[in-house]
Amino acid sequence: MLPVARDLTAGRTSVADEALEFSLVGHHRPGIERQVIAILGRLNIGIQALETQLSAEPHSGAALIQIEARVRLPAGLQPAEVQAVLEDVSPDVMVDIPLSPARR
C-alpha cells in the first residue's frame, strides 16, 4: 500500500454550492490520477482534499487504485453528473457518492 494525501486548496478561491465526497476504485494504470484531476478541473470542481491509495487485488494481485476526494461543486452541477463522467475514465472504475452531505 502506498498512501498519498494532498491538500489542493491552498491559494485557491472558488464559489461553490455543494460539498461532495466520493470514492473511486478501479485497476491502476499510469496517469489515472492526473486524468481524474483533469476531469474535475474541466467541470470547475474545487478539490479540497484528495487521497490516493494503491493496493493489490486479492485474487489476481493486479494493482488497484482507490481515490478518496472531498470537493466543492459549482452551482448547477449535480453529483450524478460527476459520477457519470468519472465512471467513463475506464470500464472497470466504480465511483461511490454517499447520499449524505459531505463534512465541511
Side-chain angles (χ1 to χ4, degrees), residues 7-9 11 17 25-26 31 36 42 49 51 54 58 62-63 65 72 80 85 96 98 104:
D7 182 353
L8 303 175
T9 59
D17 285 350
V25 178
V36 168
R42 281 195 306 272
E51 185 175 329
L54 296 177
I65 186 164
R72 301 285 295 174
V85 172
D96 179 38
R104 296 208 183 247

Side-chain angles (χ1 to χ4, degrees), residues 18-23 68-69 79 83 95-102:
E18 185 175 355
L20 178 72
E21 292 180 347
F22 71 84
S23 175
E68 301 280 338
Q83 182 173 10
V95 178
D96 179 38
I97 299 178
L99 295 176
S100 59

Side-chain angles (χ1 to χ4, degrees), residues 2-103:
L2 177 64
V4 178
R6 298 181 213 168
D7 182 353
L8 303 175
T9 59
R12 293 188 182 178
T13 59
S14 65
V15 176
D17 285 350
E18 185 175 355
L20 178 72
E21 292 180 347
F22 71 84
S23 175
L24 179 147
V25 178
H27 287 106
H28 184 264
R29 61 177 166 71
I32 193 168
E33 298 97 331
R34 190 174 345 179
Q35 186 178 5
V36 168
I37 291 169
I39 288 168
L40 297 176
R42 281 195 306 272
L43 294 172
N44 294 316
I45 295 173
I47 302 171
Q48 295 181 318
L50 182 80
E51 185 175 329
T52 303
Q53 185 172 340
L54 296 177
S55 61
E57 188 175 75
H59 298 285
S60 70
L64 290 177
I65 186 164
Q66 180 170 356
I67 299 174
E68 301 280 338
R70 187 175 62 250
V71 299
R72 301 285 295 174
L73 302 185
L77 185 61
Q78 299 299 312
E81 295 173 87
V82 176
Q83 182 173 10
V85 172
L86 289 173
E87 286 179 342
D88 283 343
V89 165
S90 178
D92 69 328
V93 166
M94 294 183 305
V95 178
D96 179 38
I97 299 178
L99 295 176
S100 59
R103 327 181 292 284

